[in-house]
Every structure is written in C-alpha cells, then in structure tokens.
Amino acid sequence: MATYHYDKHRRRLTRRDLVKGGFAVTAIAAVGPYYLRYAHAQTGPIKIGLPVPLTGPYSSEAQNQARCAQLAIDMFNQAGGLKGRMAELLVRDDKLNPGEAATRSQELIESDKVNFLCGSLSASVQLAVNNVAKNRGVIYNSISQSDTINEASDFSKYTFHEALNPHMTSGAVGRYVFPKFGKRVAFLTADYAYGHEMVNGFKRVGKQFGLEDVLEIKHPIGQADYSTFFPRIQAAKPDILIASNFGRDQLNTFKQATEFGLKQQMKIICPVLLYTQRLAGGGTSFEGVIGGANYYWELEKTAPTAKRLNDAYRAKHGGEVPSDYAAYGFSGIYSMLEAVKKVGTTDTDAVIAAMETLKYDAYKGTQYFRKCDHQSVQSVLVIESKPDSQAKSKADICSIVATETGSEDRLRSCKELGHG
Amino acid sequence: MPPRDEGDPVTFDLFLLQLFTGLALGSIYVLVALGLSLIFGMLTVVNFAHGQFFMVGAYLGVFFLGLTGNFWFSLLAVPIAAGVIGMVCERFLVRPLYGRGIDYPLLLTYGLGLVLLESVRMIAGTQGVPFNTPPLLSGAVDLGVFFFPKYRLFLIVITALLLIGLWLFLEKTTYGLIIRAGARDPEIVNILGVDVSRVWLVVFGIGISLAATAGLLAAPIRGVFPEMGVPVLVEAFVVTVVGGMGSLVGAVIAGLLVGVTVSFTAFFFPQMSTLSMFVLMALVLIFRPRGLFGRAGALG
C-alpha cells in the first residue's frame, strides 16, 4: 500500500513528493514522443547520427569507428552525393551507457533530425539505441556484436545489423580450433551479454566436436587483475582457455595469463582478437592467441575494397591502417548510403526495401542483409597473433589462418529467431 | 557458481595457491595506496589526482624506456621526475588552498586529474602503448605446485623495500621527525623556526613520486593506457579507508586484506570479485568508522 509522506496539518510538500512528481513529469516527457512519427527531411544534407563510446574503456575502438565512418561519408560526397545532396556525420559520445545512448539518439532524431542512425559498441547500448530508433521509425544500422538484436523480440523493420554476431563469430573460431587443439575447454567470460552470447555460441558449435566444458568463470567487466582466477583454471587442466572479454579486459587477461605461464599448459582462444588491443598489448602478451575478426588489413592482398579502405585511411591518418571495429564504422555507413544511391531518395521505407535486396562490397567482399532479421551475411576471419620477431612492420601483427565464407547456413534460422 | 566436477576439486594446494595469489595481489594494492595514504596522513590533502599520477608514472616510464631501453634506469628516473612534477603542483596549486577546509584541495586535485588525463590522451594518443616485462624478470618460477611470475615476486620485494625505506625515513631521520611534528602541530613547528611549507612541499613530492613509481611498476601487468589510473584511485581509496586514513601500517594490512578478500571471492563467486572489496570496506566502516588503524576524526 502506498503511504504519503506529507504533513497533514501543514499540507507541506516533502522531498519524497517532489521526487515522485519529478519522476511522473519525466515519464510523461519520455513517453510522449513515442506517439509521434518524425517526417525526415527529403532535402538538405543527408544526416547520419553515430553514437559511440568516445570515453570509457572502448574509447580507442570508438574513435577509430568514427574516423572510418567519416571516410565512408567523404567517399559518398566525393562521388557527388545523392544528386548533389551531401552526407553529413554527427558523432555523439554514448559513454558506453544505455541511458546516455538513448538520450543522445533521441536528440539526434528530434533536434538534429538525422535521416539514419549507425553505431554503438556494446550489446546493451545497441539495444537501447535500437529501441529509440524503432519507436521513432528511423533506420538503425548496428555495428557491434549482438545475437539478441537478430531475435524477433528486439527486431523491427528499421533494425539492421552490419556487425558479425556472436553466433557467427564463435562458430567460425570454434570450427577452426576444436579439432586442432582439444576438447577440454575452460571459459573465462566477461559477465555481460557479449560474453554470455559468445560462450553460448562456442558451446553450441562445440557439440559437434564433443566439447567438454571443464570450468566456467564469469568476471565483472573492467577488472584490472585476473591473477586470482588462474589457480582454478590451471587446476582444471583444460586444453583450451576461451577468454570472452573485450577491450582492455582482453589485453590484461592475455598479459597476465602469459606472465603466469598459462600458455605453456593450454591454448588461449578469444572470440574476437582485437587489433587495437594487440597493438597496445604487444607481441609477447598475445603471442599464439587465436581469435575471430570481421577484418584484418592484410585482406588488401586479395580484396580490392580492403585496399580502397586502407588507402583512404592511410592517407588521412598518418599511414596507419584501420582496425577491425573501425572498419565496421565504414561498412555500416557505406551500406546505408549504397542503398540511398540505389533508390535515389532518403525515404525510410524505400531505403529499407533497397537495403533488403542490396549486394554490397564495402571492405572485404560481397555482403547482404538477410531478409528476415536484417543480419549482414559476411565472411568471418580466424586470425593468429604473431610474435614480434616475425613482424615486418608495426601493423604486421597477425596472420589470417582461416576464412569462413559468408553463408546463411552459418546463421541461426529465421524460424529459431522467431521470425514468421 | 557453476557446479564443480572432479577436474576441479578444492584441494589444500589450491587453497594455499589462492591465498598466495591474494597476498601477491594485495602487495600491488599496498603499492598503489602508499602515496595516497602518505599525502593524506601528513597533509590532510585527499589527492583525487592519485590515479592520474599513477598513469603519468607509467607513461614517463615508457618515455625513459624509449630513451635508454633500460627498465632499471626508468625505475630510477620516474620517481625523480614525478617528484619534481609533484613539488611544482604543490607549490603553485595546492599550497594556496591550505587551511581552507578539506574540500578545496579535493576539488583541485580532481580537476588536475582530468587535465592530466586529457593531456596524456592528446600527447600519447588514446590507444595505449605496449610495455613488456623487463627480460630479467619475465617468465614464471616453479613453486612446486604452481608457476608464479617472477615479476610479481619482484613487486612484493620492491613494495617491502619501499615500505621499509619510508618507515626508516619517517621514524629514524631528523627530517622524518619534522614531518611527523608538522603533521601533528604545524603552528608550533613553525614557531620553532622550521619552515613547514618546505616540509609539505617535500612530502607532496614523495607522495606523487610513490604514485608514479607504482604506475611504472604496474605497467608490465596492467598495460599502459590513459584510463589506467581510473580503477587505481578507487582501489587506493578502499585500501586507505579500510586501513584508516593516513596510517601506513593500516595501508599495508588493509592492502593485503583486500587482496586476499578479492582472491577468495574470485575463487568461490567470481562475478563478485570486484564488488567484494567494497563489501569489505562497508563492513569496516560500519564496525570501525575510522578504519582499522586510523585516528578518530581525521577528516574533521
């Protein structure tokens, strides 16, 4: 039963009442716009909003994403735009926080009147942006890994997923490593959606190979020291340690696992081997680690579009090459703008229809969005970190050991995801 | 917690190992908290820039390592360079705020921390730089049942040496006597003809120097990147609060206690490992608000 904390004799408001009232006003303000649909400008610049975590543990990935997104915009504009209509990128800091991301996306839609949204770098943040976008009928192309976003409950016709999803990534990595390095697997997992989804993916693909799950440790995100988990991992004697964490957490895990001699006893695997963390962590810490990737710059040897992206990036950023997650920034914007060019308008429904049938080659070969869940069907690379002694240049840090071609067979079926 | 199968029994060896890992981790917490505790204990300044000086220390280490290629030279140069930076900060930023209440220097150092963080991001980039363990100390030693990294053993030794050095300096030298007297009653010390402001200058310099040295020493374990100091401020505060604000003995006991707590929590409830240090802090604050070895009303 509700109790009211005001003084009956004096009828004076208490702080509690004010807080309650404040919540009510905020709630109305937040829900109100849901009933509105925004008419997007069909003239003037094509605006694309990019909420990414410019501050926080994934800041270096996020800044690179913004750089690459800008390259896609520049490329579109240099080619004349959409009959002279130029594209414009609006980067916002989501601080890796779902609430912050929702607010920024809302502002991008309502105040800045963006035509499309792209971005985010965490599963939960991405779902927050998606929620805002789908309620306001704005196309959102997500560039961070998530399985949930494919599922019918979170999906809407406005939702596109340019990034790989954990199911595809862990599947490709699992199919490569389980036959090679053994069946006894220990999991060290960051305790949030990304980690959990990766582990589910590995277990699922592991069934075919008789995976034996000997230990599962979940750790909080942003942990600085992993040494306290190592005694149990060593005592469990696994063939493989799968570390499903991201950003600095990945770097510190490998750095400390190397220190503790874990590599002498087991093979270390990660779902996504991050280029930026490998650069910051150095060759010794990452030596021999195998993981998945959407992109590695050496693809330029075989894919002309990879060379196009690398060259554009090199020209603008002092000869450096784009990282894997940075490349998502490029392809996320590129695929939307390709669709815009194809239909010759920024009308939301027309662009959705175009994206659903588009075949595009942004940076690594042909990709397309599957009709039912708008997941981008694309190749997955399996890469292995090189020791410093074999590096021919500063960027030469990995070798591509396997490539899994994009195929709908590698995705969960539309039926399993709850579509139709 | 996942069920244990026969591959993961809780043996006595494993228990000992977990304890040892916790103590080793604790010695890093001690190292990290030392500078914060010293500055608070002697100057009653809560240095919110502690974590950022830790980070600056690591970057200075990278700089000196790049110049000379020698870790040991860096280990010598970083404390000196950081000490000078600390003294400059004290002289021109902190000093005007003495006697104005504890919140003034707190806000100042908080802002200073932000400036340091952004400066490093601008100068050295946001991505972070590799920092390898010095070759002499890389690799692991076989302790019979378990491999333990040489570098972490080295850290335990260094931390112990720093503590002994600091204790000898404060307790056994004339200068230490002046510092302690200045902390207790600056006015009398001033009347006795000692320039207290110079004493504080030196203490602040030493505190910053300790923070930076900790950053350099932690670099091979945690990596070097602009945000590396952020969790450090939190860890250092937990250790300082548990041990008692300003108590060096407290910092040592609390650091080890936090290390062991985190380690055993990681063993039984891994998801809670980071949280456990705050639970420990809350418990200590409930039953002993001044911390294990703190003076009453230190913040009054």
Side-chain angles (χ1 to χ4, degrees):
Chain A
M1 208 184 85
T3 32
Y4 295 95
H5 292 264
Y6 58 80
D7 187 331
K8 280 178 184 158
H9 303 290
R10 291 190 201 162
R11 290 276 167 206
R12 211 172 53 186
L13 274 172
T14 64
R15 191 174 63 175
R16 228 170 254 238
D17 290 319
L18 277 177
V19 170
K20 278 182 191 167
F23 272 123
V25 171
T26 318
I28 292 164
V31 172
Y34 277 53
Y35 299 103
L36 303 171
R37 281 284 182 271
Y38 287 85
H40 308 293
Q42 294 298 326
T43 52
I46 303 168
K47 291 181 178 173
I48 305 182
L50 187 81
V52 284
L54 293 173
T55 49
Y58 306 160
S59 57
S60 54
E61 266 86 13
Q63 279 169 356
N64 290 345
Q65 285 187 324
R67 283 174 169 190
C68 276
Q70 188 59 49
L71 291 180
I73 300 271
D74 294 347
M75 202 176 281
F76 175 81
N77 290 343
Q78 275 153 21
L82 175 67
K83 295 167 226 152
R85 261 181 91 190
M86 295 296 151
E88 192 186 310
L89 186 70
L90 289 85
V91 183
R92 297 289 182 269
D93 185 5
D94 69 28
K95 299 189 177 153
L96 206 63
N97 174 317
E100 186 82 19
T103 313
R104 293 287 90 78
S105 310
Q106 210 164 308
E107 285 168 7
L108 281 167
I109 295 171
E110 287 165 16
S111 316
D112 298 310
K113 308 265 186 274
V114 293
N115 298 83
F116 312 111
L117 283 171
C118 183
S120 89
L121 193 42
S122 132
S124 58
V125 173
Q126 154 189 259
L127 293 176
V129 177
N130 183 45
N131 213 23
V132 172
K134 76 181 187 190
N135 279 314
R136 284 163 179 72
V138 174
I139 296 174
Y140 168 48
N141 197 3
S142 166
I143 52 172
S144 91
Q145 290 234 5
S146 170
D147 275 332
T148 321
I149 202 160
N150 295 139
E151 290 162 15
S153 49
D154 276 287
F155 177 79
S156 78
K157 68 172 184 175
Y158 306 104
T159 310
F160 286 81
H161 194 236
E162 168 61 34
L164 295 172
N165 64 36
H167 181 80
M168 295 158 83
T169 313
S170 55
V173 175
R175 278 183 286 274
Y176 178 77
V177 300
F178 292 142
K180 270 202 169 63
F181 302 107
K183 291 184 291 190
R184 290 176 61 82
V185 177
F187 290 99
L188 178 65
T189 310
D191 194 11
Y192 74 122
Y194 172 86
H196 301 167
E197 290 183 351
M198 288 297 180
V199 170
N200 289 342
F202 277 115
K203 284 187 178 168
R204 194 164 150 150
V205 64
K207 278 194 189 132
Q208 304 164 32
F209 303 98
L211 174 143
E212 206 183 312
D213 168 13
V214 296
L215 180 69
E216 211 179 320
I217 296 177
K218 292 190 182 118
H219 71 78
I221 317 183
Q223 178 127 353
D225 200 295
Y226 292 83
S227 63
T228 53
F229 303 126
F230 296 155
R232 270 183 77 188
I233 293 174
Q234 290 182 310
K237 299 196 168 42
D239 301 320
I240 296 175
L241 170 67
I242 297 182
S244 302
N245 48 22
F246 196 85
R248 303 290 180 207
D249 290 358
Q250 179 177 73
L251 186 156
N252 281 340
T253 303
F254 296 159
K255 218 169 170 41
Q256 294 162 21
T258 307
E259 242 198 308
F260 274 78
L262 258 63
K263 283 179 185 163
Q264 277 89 25
Q265 298 161 54
M266 61 200 82
K267 187 75 182 172
I268 299 186
I269 302 299
C270 56
V272 177
L273 178 47
L274 292 162
Y275 180 83
T276 47
Q277 296 309 324
R278 165 60 183 79
L279 271 188
T284 315
S285 309
F286 278 71
E287 187 172 340
V289 173
I290 293 178
N294 59 309
Y295 184 71
Y296 180 63
W297 65 275
E298 268 199 338
L299 270 179
E300 70 180 8
K301 287 178 182 164
T302 51
T305 47
K307 182 144 176 45
R308 175 180 70 179
L309 172 62
N310 289 344
D311 287 345
Y313 195 94
R314 281 184 184 116
K316 220 171 162 185
H317 301 293
E320 286 180 29
V321 287
S323 71
D324 33 39
Y325 267 71
Y328 279 143
F330 181 83
S331 60
I333 302 284
Y334 181 89
S335 54
M336 288 196 284
L337 289 177
E338 280 300 292
V340 167
K341 273 200 275 190
K342 193 174 152 191
V343 286
T345 167
T346 51
D347 174 70
T348 302
D349 286 325
V351 175
I352 291 172
M355 285 176 85
E356 283 178 346
T357 53
L358 187 72
K359 299 256 180 203
Y360 61 101
D361 180 355
Y363 69 124
K364 62 174 181 178
T366 310
Q367 293 173 243
Y368 65 94
F369 292 103
R370 179 164 74 168
K371 181 95 171 44
C372 73
D373 63 350
H374 292 174
Q375 169 61 42
S376 175
V377 180
Q378 59 185 299
S379 59
V380 186
L381 312 178
V382 181
I383 57 178
E384 179 165 5
S385 181
K386 280 184 186 176
D388 283 333
S389 56
Q390 289 175 23
K392 291 188 208 80
S393 69
K394 198 183 140 229
D396 184 21
I397 53 178
C398 290
S399 42
I400 302 174
V401 292
T403 307
E404 202 169 86
T405 342
S407 157
E408 290 189 28
D409 302 342
R410 300 300 191 199
L411 305 180
R412 289 179 297 169
S413 69
C414 294
K415 200 170 156 230
E416 190 190 336
L417 295 170
H419 299 287
Chain B
M1 188 177 59
R4 296 166 188 286
D5 59 29
E6 70 275 34
D8 184 27
V10 189
T11 59
F12 186 62
D13 281 353
L14 192 53
F15 181 85
L16 275 185
L17 223 55
Q18 201 71 40
L19 181 69
F20 188 71
T21 315
L23 287 172
L25 178 63
S27 77
I28 299 178
Y29 289 144
V30 175
L31 184 66
V32 152
L34 221 46
L36 186 77
S37 194
L38 180 78
I39 291 181
F40 181 79
M42 300 298 156
L43 307 183
T44 333
V45 168
V46 182
N47 178 18
F48 259 65
H50 180 76
Q52 306 313 341
F53 280 113
F54 175 93
M55 178 270 297
V56 167
Y59 272 96
L60 283 174
V62 171
F63 173 72
F64 288 123
L65 202 60
L67 278 186
T68 61
N70 189 328
F71 177 79
W72 307 104
F73 175 76
S74 298
L75 192 53
L76 205 69
V78 167
I80 297 169
V84 171
I85 297 174
M87 287 198 274
V88 171
C89 289
E90 198 274 351
R91 178 63 190 84
F92 296 105
L93 300 173
V94 182
R95 189 175 294 182
L97 303 178
Y98 288 140
R100 286 212 200 178
I102 197 159
D103 41 348
Y104 282 80
L106 189 151
L107 288 172
L108 173 94
T109 51
Y110 182 76
L112 179 63
L114 294 179
V115 171
L116 288 173
L117 177 61
E118 286 307 320
S119 312
V120 169
R121 278 188 183 144
M122 279 193 279
I123 296 166
T126 55
Q127 290 208 348
V129 283
F131 199 108
N132 288 331
T133 314
L136 187 65
L137 297 170
S138 60
V141 195
D142 191 353
L143 297 180
V145 280
F146 184 56
F147 286 94
F148 206 79
K150 280 186 209 162
Y151 189 75
R152 290 207 184 214
L153 295 175
F154 164 74
L155 274 194
I156 297 173
V157 175
I158 280 269
T159 307
L161 287 177
L162 278 175
L163 278 168
I164 293 169
L166 200 58
W167 183 81
L168 286 176
F169 173 69
L170 288 175
E171 298 291 329
K172 301 289 168 192
T173 65
T174 322
Y175 212 85
L177 184 70
I178 295 172
I179 291 175
R180 283 182 293 135
R184 193 160 296 180
D185 198 334
E187 233 168 282
I188 296 290
V189 176
N190 235 347
I191 290 166
L192 289 175
V194 179
D195 185 357
V196 180
S197 59
R198 264 180 52 200
V199 175
W200 287 347
L201 182 76
V202 171
V203 172
F204 199 86
I206 296 175
I208 299 304
S209 177
L210 283 170
T213 310
L216 169 65
L217 288 169
I221 294 179
R222 297 183 172 191
V224 180
F225 47 94
E227 297 82 17
M228 67 186 285
V230 178
V232 163
L233 180 67
V234 178
E235 290 164 0
F237 259 99
V238 171
V239 171
T240 312
V241 168
V242 169
M245 295 292 271
S247 161
L248 286 182
V249 183
V252 177
I253 306 281
L256 297 179
L257 190 62
V258 170
V260 171
T261 306
V262 169
S263 182
F264 279 103
T265 316
F267 189 73
F268 292 109
F269 309 102
Q271 290 101 314
M272 304 289 153
S273 56
T274 308
L275 189 69
S276 65
M277 65 168 80
F278 301 107
V279 174
L280 176 73
M281 179 169 82
L283 286 176
V284 168
L285 284 177
I286 290 170
F287 294 107
R288 203 176 156 80
R290 68 176 83 159
L292 298 176
F293 294 86
R295 322 169 255 170
L299 283 168

